[in-house]
Amino acid sequence: MEEASSEDQLDPARELAHAIRLRSARMVARHGFGYLGQALSSAETFGVLAAHWWRPGRDDLVISPGHYIICAYAIGVELGLMDEAALETYGEDGSTLEAIGTESSPVVDLTCGSLGQGLSGAVGFALAARLDGEPRRTYAFISDGELQEGQTWEAATFAGHHHLDGLTVLLDANNSQVDGPIDTITTIEPIADRWRSFGWDAFDVDGHDVGALHGAIDQAVASERPAVVIARTSTLRGIDALPVDADGHFIKLPPEVADAAITELEGR
Amino acid sequence: MRTAPFEVRLKPYGTALVDLAREREDILCLSGDLTRQCEVDLFREAFPDRFINGGMAEANLVGMAGGLARRGYMPFLHTFGVFATRRAYDQVAMAVAYPNLPVRLVGFMPGVSSPGGPSHQATDDVALMRALPNMTVVEVADATETRQVVAEIADLPGPVYLRLKRGEIPVLFDDDHRVDLRQAQVLRRAERPGGVVLVASGMMVAAAAAACDVLEDHGVPTTLVNVSAIKPLDAATILDAVASADLVVTAENHSVVGGLGSAVADVLAQAGSTPPLRMIGLQDVFASGGKAATRLFERYGLSTSDLVWAAWAGLGLAAPAPKVVPPPVTDETYAPV
């Protein structure tokens, strides 16, 4: 287990988070709208995970909500797993980089557009690793909206019962879904206690604080149970140029806002 | 092919899966809380480390099967057919069919073979699975085919839905019979032109064979085709069989919407200039419960008599149609209704 990291040690995570925001803004700017809010809320989560924990080609990475796949494309380029030029095809006709993740999505081992399905696939990966007797880990990224889907809890039940300690869930709690803030539609709290009641360890942290995220993932990986890191986040985080009332699920990015956002990010 | 009443076997599927798993370490057995009912208590005893019980959570079970298949395993997933397909349809579509993974969905208790009511009767499972790209849909007719089909589907590319009768499984075929997933099998070919072609799958093969006997006895040239792979359907054999016939009758223990009858209709319509078609099956209804499956086969028009009547009327022969005399059945034997 790593010791609580110094600021310098976390710089790669911060840089990756910044790159996720900038590359995502550029991808979405070409279309004028898209899943930018997902990248803004999860940038630090993916930054810490990819910079410090996930070992590509060895550990399994699941991005359950395919709307976050834009983060994988950005990470893929940053880690040299895919060609930078491919990002220009994001969401275009005939591209393998679809706006909602598909079977052609690079970088990840599994992504799902139909929400609430990814954790079950991740449980399958973790079971396979156990059957293989390999120390391969499974990192499953899921969203708070997916807690409305019953299948998420079916998977949580199974993983808790079988003590699948090779499974770590990163849960982006951005309180955003298509029809508005999640808490105005259904109550999903208390998130951490719900997971604990299923036999999981749960760590509830500020999802834009890389130090807090690092410490939580460290504990989650070390846990003898399956564990979830709940990252409390905002879909507008990190770009002041966005209107405060922007729809975080599907952000509109007209040219003047896009230019301002990208200029702002490039200035950091 | 033997004649009714047929002797029965117990657990031909479960036995065959254990045999295959001895040779193939990639095979895993997944159960959704219906382990004995799906004959895989045998697997649980033989290979406890490769047996995974997901409980009553079919969506998760299918999703886990997808994950395991992506990591080199071949999951055989067991539950009742209605839960394997209708209950977890989006999961089957997205976690198994779309990525074209070698998951074997094994659904027991087809159609009205259960008196458990619409909640337990798989009456649209074939239609649902046929609609999915990459999916192979298989239904077998007896214990001999059941025993053989396990190894046959293991070697198919992509996902498979295998539809199996539960409980006492009749033996229609001798051991020299081979189940065929590449071709529809012409079990009996009419020796004269005209007459009817009966195209049947699963439990309706025994009924169609009985109907075949009655019709031939009454002078109607009758060809009998056993379809094991409903998808992909062997169009060539079916078109060849119907070429000189005056009528085609399909028989399925399933809704006539989207199942074998629909699949045959697709083939006939696209070929053009084929005989008219009558479909035996559930006529777009949910089947109400009953004390015994035999009563449901009668009530919903899935009996041997229904097949004979459909052929007789469809050929424009003068009423009444010949009467079907069912063979005597004991607790140890099986005959179609």
Side-chain angles (χ1 to χ4, degrees):
Chain A
M1 199 192 322
E2 294 186 25
E3 291 298 313
S5 302
S6 72
E7 292 300 297
D8 286 351
Q9 285 176 308
L10 293 174
D11 279 349
R14 288 195 185 84
E15 287 165 15
L16 207 42
H18 176 69
I20 289 167
R21 287 198 171 88
L22 180 56
R23 290 193 181 280
S24 297
R26 287 173 178 157
M27 281 186 267
V28 170
R30 299 171 60 88
H31 298 268
F33 46 75
Y35 302 113
L36 176 59
Q38 287 78 356
L40 298 182
S41 67
S42 67
E44 280 77 21
T45 302
F46 278 117
V48 173
L49 181 70
H52 296 279
W53 301 100
W54 172 56
R55 301 162 294 182
R58 188 164 170 201
D59 298 323
D60 287 318
L61 177 61
V62 176
I63 296 183
S64 181
H67 309 67
Y68 285 78
I69 199 66
I70 193 168
C71 300
Y73 303 158
I75 293 166
V77 169
E78 291 299 315
L79 299 187
L81 302 172
M82 55 179 276
D83 184 11
E84 182 173 17
L87 297 185
E88 293 180 18
T89 71
Y90 169 79
E92 298 290 350
D93 291 340
S95 174
T96 57
L97 305 188
E98 299 200 44
I100 296 175
T102 66
E103 285 298 310
S104 70
S105 299
V107 182
V108 294
D109 296 283
L110 172 66
T111 183
C112 313
S114 180
L115 297 178
Q117 295 204 22
L119 187 56
S120 296
V123 169
F125 286 156
L127 269 178
R130 178 176 281 183
L131 286 163
D132 293 342
E134 288 182 9
R136 197 167 72 221
R137 292 199 66 80
T138 304
Y139 295 103
F141 179 94
I142 71 173
S143 65
D144 52 357
E146 291 185 297
L147 302 186
Q148 292 176 337
E149 292 280 5
Q151 188 181 351
T152 299
W153 299 106
E154 291 184 5
T157 301
F158 185 94
H161 177 82
H162 289 276
H163 303 282
L164 287 180
D165 58 351
L167 174 61
T168 302
V169 167
L170 294 309
L171 195 166
D172 187 41
N174 61 16
N175 196 32
S176 167
Q177 65 183 119
V178 171
D179 278 357
I182 289 174
D183 59 12
T184 67
I185 294 162
T186 60
T187 296
I188 59 170
E189 301 288 352
I191 297 176
D193 283 345
R194 290 177 77 188
W195 287 88
R196 288 183 188 118
S197 75
F198 281 75
W200 289 55
D201 275 337
F203 305 93
D204 205 333
V205 298
D206 177 348
H208 298 301
D209 179 337
V210 293
L213 281 167
H214 188 280
I217 297 174
D218 193 19
Q219 288 180 273
V221 167
S223 170
E224 293 178 354
R225 302 171 168 198
V228 55
V229 174
I230 301 146
R232 303 285 177 171
T233 62
S234 160
T235 55
L236 304 181
R237 178 76 173 216
I239 303 181
D240 295 339
L242 292 174
V244 292
D245 60 348
D247 170 10
H249 175 76
F250 197 74
I251 285 181
K252 291 185 181 65
L253 213 57
E256 62 278 11
V257 179
D259 288 346
I262 290 168
T263 301
E264 179 187 336
L265 288 167
E266 286 174 341
R268 295 215 174 132
Chain B
M1 186 175 176
R2 302 178 183 185
T3 51
F6 305 102
E7 58 178 297
V8 296
R9 296 271 187 275
L10 296 176
K11 302 195 175 181
Y13 171 78
T15 306
L17 185 64
V18 167
D19 290 345
L20 186 68
R22 269 200 193 92
E23 298 167 16
R24 298 185 53 150
E25 293 186 355
D26 59 328
I27 289 177
L28 299 177
C29 177
L30 277 57
S31 173
D33 189 43
L34 290 165
T35 300
R36 181 176 55 76
Q37 291 76 3
C38 297
E39 307 178 9
V40 289
D41 47 340
L42 299 179
F43 191 106
R44 183 177 58 192
E45 289 161 20
F47 304 105
D49 295 343
R50 290 154 65 186
F51 175 82
I52 299 161
N53 198 335
M56 292 181 286
E58 293 77 12
N60 180 56
L61 197 62
V62 171
M64 289 196 306
L68 289 162
R70 285 175 194 268
R71 287 295 163 266
Y73 290 98
M74 181 177 286
F76 280 65
L77 187 156
H78 305 86
T79 178
F80 291 154
V82 67
F83 306 134
T85 58
R86 190 198 291 159
R87 175 94 194 184
Y89 192 58
D90 188 38
Q91 286 77 15
V92 174
M94 288 294 103
V96 174
Y98 167 44
N100 201 15
L101 294 168
V103 173
R104 280 71 182 100
L105 301 166
V106 187
F108 284 76
M109 225 161 66
V112 293
S113 65
S114 164
S119 64
H120 281 58
Q121 290 161 347
T123 54
D124 50 14
D125 54 331
V126 173
L128 293 169
M129 294 298 101
R130 271 186 73 223
L132 294 174
N134 299 325
M135 186 67 75
T136 296
V137 180
V138 176
E139 183 174 32
V140 290
D142 85 328
T144 303
E145 291 195 335
T146 299
R147 221 174 55 229
Q148 296 170 0
V149 81
V150 179
E152 292 287 326
I153 64 169
D155 290 329
L156 291 176
V160 177
Y161 176 59
L162 174 62
R163 188 179 206 242
L164 291 179
K165 183 182 184 300
R166 174 187 170 194
E168 297 82 21
I169 314 300
V171 182
L172 277 60
F173 301 112
D174 291 321
D175 286 342
D176 58 355
H177 172 89
R178 294 303 305 175
V179 69
D180 198 337
L181 301 183
R182 292 169 304 283
Q183 289 184 302
Q185 286 186 319
V186 178
L187 298 177
R188 293 180 198 167
R189 191 180 294 276
E191 291 173 0
R192 291 165 292 135
V196 62
V197 176
L198 305 178
V199 182
S201 65
M203 292 177 70
M204 294 309 288
V205 172
C212 186
D213 287 343
V214 172
L215 290 165
E216 282 283 355
D217 286 348
H218 289 79
V220 178
T222 307
T223 294
L224 173 61
V225 181
N226 172 26
V227 175
S228 300
I230 300 173
K231 181 188 174 186
L233 183 62
D234 171 18
T237 295
I238 288 171
L239 289 173
D240 178 64
V242 307
S244 61
D246 293 331
L247 178 72
V248 183
V249 176
T250 56
E252 61 196 305
N253 175 22
H254 181 273
S255 170
V256 294
V257 179
L260 175 70
S262 293
V264 170
D266 287 353
V267 167
L268 299 185
Q270 291 182 64
S273 304
T274 55
L277 171 67
R278 298 282 185 278
M279 296 185 198
I280 294 292
L282 288 168
Q283 301 296 316
D284 198 20
V285 292
F286 289 105
S288 301
K291 188 175 180 185
T294 49
R295 291 286 301 124
L296 297 180
F297 276 83
E298 286 169 358
R299 191 190 306 167
Y300 289 96
L302 298 174
S303 70
T304 304
S305 292
D306 291 300
L307 270 159
V308 170
W309 293 335
W312 202 260
L315 289 168
L317 298 173
K323 197 166 161 47
V324 174
V325 182
V329 181
T330 66
D331 283 350
E332 284 79 40
T333 59
Y334 172 91
V337 176

